[in-house]
Structures are given as C-alpha cells and as structure tokens.
Amino acid sequence: MTGGTPGTDLIDMRLLRTFMVVAQELNFTRAGTLLHLTQQTVSSQVRTLETGLGVELFRRTTRHVRLTEAGMLLRQRMQPILDAMDEAVVEARELARRDGVVFVVGHTASAAHRLLPRAAGLLERIAPGLRLRCEQRTELGLRAAVAEGSVHLGVGLEVAFPAARIASHQLGPEPWCVVVGSQHPLAGRGRLALADLVGHEWLSWPRSSHPGHWRAVHRLAALAPPERAVRETWLSVAHSRLAGTDAVMLQPLSYAAHCARGLVVLELVDAPAAHFTAVWSTLMTPPCLNQVLAALSKAAEYPPDRAHGRLSPQASGTALEGTAPDVGRR
C-alpha cells in the first residue's frame, strides 16, 4: 500500500474491535467474556495494537484500567468507522439477495435426521432467495463455530451455550426412542417404558463432544431407578456394541428414519421430551434469521398423534439447499 500512515497499514481489524470492547468495559476479563477470548489473549491483542501504533492506549494498575488521552481519541474516532463497516456488511448481504444469500447452519448429527431436511424443504417453498448450507459438527465444535462467526446459526439437541452475546431459541420438543440390536431381548416389543430398560447397559455420546445429549440421557437414567452408569461411546463403536450385546441407546425419535442396518428402533412412551435448540452470536445478527428460525420451529413440530409414535412418511425436502428472502434484521 502507498500513502498510508506508517505503522497503520497492517493493523488487524480484530485488534481494533478488541480494543473497542476493552475501552467500553475498562476490564480485560469482562472484555474477554464478551469476545469469547481469555483475559491473556485480550491483553496480548491490546499490547500488539499498542506496539503497532506506537502509543499507549490504557493505563493499567492492579485495581483500575483507564484510557489514555490517545486511547480516548482512538475510541472516539473508531466507533463511527466500525459502525459504518457493520452497516456496509448488512447492506452487502441485502444486495446479495438478488443473486441468492447463503445461510450457514452448523448442526450436530441428530439435527440432520429430520429437522434440517424439513426446514430446507419449507424454505424452498415459501421463500426464494436463500440457500441453506449445513455443516455437521460435534456440539463443542458447534459452540466454537458460532462464537467465531464461521456459521450463522448452530442447531443441536439440548445445546447449552451459557456465554455472553449468544442468543438461543428453543425450536420444539423431540421425543425419545430406544435403539437396540435386532437380537436384543426387547427388539420385538415395539413400545417401551423407562422401567423396561432396567438391567440393560445404557450408551451415550461422549460428554467431551456432545455434553447436551449426554446430560439429557443422564436425566432419563435418573428417572429409571436404580440409577445406573451410562457408558460413553462413539457412533461407529455404538453400532457394533448394540448389535452384539444387550445394551440400549437413547436417541431422538427422528433417528428412526435413518436407523443403521441390524438395529431396531423402539418407541419410548413415558420419557420427557428433549428439545432442539438454535444458538447464534448477537455481535453480528445473521441475515434472514427470523425466517430460518420460523422454518426450523415449524419443522420441529410432530403431528399430535405422533408425539410418541413412529415417524410418519412426510416429505422432508430434497436436499439441504433451500431458498428464502430476508425479512430484516433482528
């Protein structure tokens, strides 16, 4: 670049945004919470910015953080610039609607069985202009993607995201089913109650990758005394274990539409339903958010007579690609 002020051409905009949050909070720890960064990372980014600019922006003591005169000037001048940048991004997305807007949904595996295909089908019919792109992740990977903005929306079963600047919306109840091997003693029962699972080993996704699903299964285990340990396992291991043992695995009812060969899905009639949850960052409101949430909420609905029954053969949309116009910022 030519004609710029020495030391400013290569300044990362992320550093300036970090500075603005610290300048607002005057507390590195609180700023880190809002930015989903550690206090050490926030301090390091501010020092990098100060070094690049060649000025001290904050005066730090053990008790207080205060802006220097240079820091106050930078905050005053940067705020309208950053606001203008955010507005430009929103306007560019509005403009892109003419050629189609891509809405990226990160999701856990359970949301891919029924929820997202149905939502894509709804959007395709009611709202031309939006393409839904879906990326499967673990729940922890989903949290990171939402926080860093690499997906517009995260969707998963019982997703808990207790962080600042993260909004959530409960999409709807999801009944449970029990998955067993075809030779399991319960395989021919069709309908089960929690009491029928006593004496059998329970399997769950690992807490380290899918804490929401893990917590939900443990809540159900506590309702079927005597309370038992729940064995954590991955999908590939779970299928072989279910096929060869008397273990059981609780899954969302929508899993029935994609059950693996050699396994049997049984209705669980007395288990409190779980919920699919959508989460997104409020630091940058996603385009078309209201419409996507409405489609997901509608897709999550079960017919009243199917709340604890097998999935009805409803059309689910041809692919995870759909279209819808924007309805404004939320």
Side-chain angles (χ1 to χ4, degrees):
M1 296 177 64
T2 60
T5 302
T8 63
D9 289 344
L10 298 181
I11 293 209
D12 192 327
M13 288 303 300
R14 290 177 300 176
L15 303 182
L16 289 169
R17 290 190 180 276
T18 297
F19 160 76
M20 293 298 289
V21 175
V22 178
Q24 172 186 317
E25 298 296 323
L26 294 179
N27 183 291
F28 283 80
T29 300
R30 286 200 301 269
T33 299
L34 294 174
L35 293 165
H36 309 292
L37 300 173
T38 65
Q39 183 268 335
Q40 292 84 354
T41 300
V42 172
S43 296
S44 175
Q45 289 187 1
V46 169
R47 284 195 299 270
T48 300
L49 179 62
E50 289 177 323
T51 300
L53 294 176
V55 297
E56 185 180 33
L57 300 172
F58 296 97
R59 297 201 188 278
R60 308 162 179 84
T61 68
T62 55
R63 288 188 166 188
H64 301 288
V65 175
R66 290 188 174 88
L67 284 163
T68 63
E69 187 176 352
M72 288 188 285
L73 177 62
L74 182 63
R75 180 181 64 176
Q76 179 183 355
R77 297 293 179 85
M78 282 305 304
Q79 190 62 62
I81 294 174
L82 293 177
D83 288 345
M85 288 179 61
D86 290 342
E87 289 176 7
V89 170
V90 172
E91 290 173 5
R93 286 173 172 166
E94 293 278 354
L95 210 61
R97 180 176 57 178
R98 300 174 184 175
D99 300 318
V101 175
V102 177
F103 192 100
V104 185
V105 177
H107 64 92
T108 57
S110 55
H113 300 318
R114 173 179 178 272
L115 180 64
L116 288 172
R118 289 198 68 198
L122 289 168
L123 287 171
E124 189 173 45
R125 291 193 297 272
I126 67 175
L130 178 89
R131 290 189 298 116
L132 201 64
R133 189 173 81 232
C134 300
E135 301 176 357
Q136 185 168 314
R137 302 170 185 264
T138 65
E139 184 179 333
L140 294 188
L142 188 63
R143 292 185 186 184
V146 170
E148 70 187 16
S150 59
V151 301
H152 293 119
L153 196 69
V155 178
L157 190 72
E158 299 282 335
V159 172
F161 206 149
R165 303 296 177 92
I166 298 296
S168 65
H169 177 72
Q170 200 171 81
L171 298 174
E174 176 71 12
W176 291 95
C177 65
V178 180
V179 183
V180 300
S182 58
Q183 303 304 313
H184 195 283
L186 299 174
R189 294 281 296 274
R191 294 166 65 87
L192 298 175
L194 284 169
D196 296 321
L197 307 182
V198 173
H200 297 281
E201 179 184 44
W202 288 32
L203 304 181
S204 169
W205 302 141
R207 182 180 187 180
S208 60
S209 60
H210 294 81
H213 188 277
W214 182 90
R215 285 191 301 270
V217 171
H218 276 71
R219 286 199 301 269
L220 296 180
L223 296 176
E227 189 170 350
R228 65 197 42 76
V230 179
R231 183 187 183 96
E232 299 180 25
T233 183
W234 293 100
L235 179 62
S236 57
V237 179
H239 283 176
S240 60
R241 188 166 185 81
L242 289 169
T245 71
D246 287 352
V248 301
M249 190 169 197
L250 272 67
Q251 288 277 27
L253 179 59
S254 53
Y255 175 84
H258 300 276
C259 184
R261 180 176 298 180
L263 301 181
V264 176
V265 173
L266 307 171
E267 301 169 24
L268 189 58
V269 298
D270 63 344
H275 286 83
F276 279 111
T277 307
V279 293
W280 66 94
S281 172
T282 58
L283 292 175
M284 179 64 73
T285 303
C288 312
L289 176 64
N290 289 340
Q291 279 188 294
V292 174
L293 287 177
L296 286 167
S297 296
K298 183 66 176 176
E301 295 177 358
Y302 278 89
D305 61 340
R306 295 285 182 173
H308 283 290
R310 291 186 179 88
L311 290 178
S312 55
Q314 299 171 350
S316 61
T318 57
L320 295 183
E321 295 281 337
T323 53
D326 206 333
V327 294
R329 299 176 64 184
R330 169 171 173 159

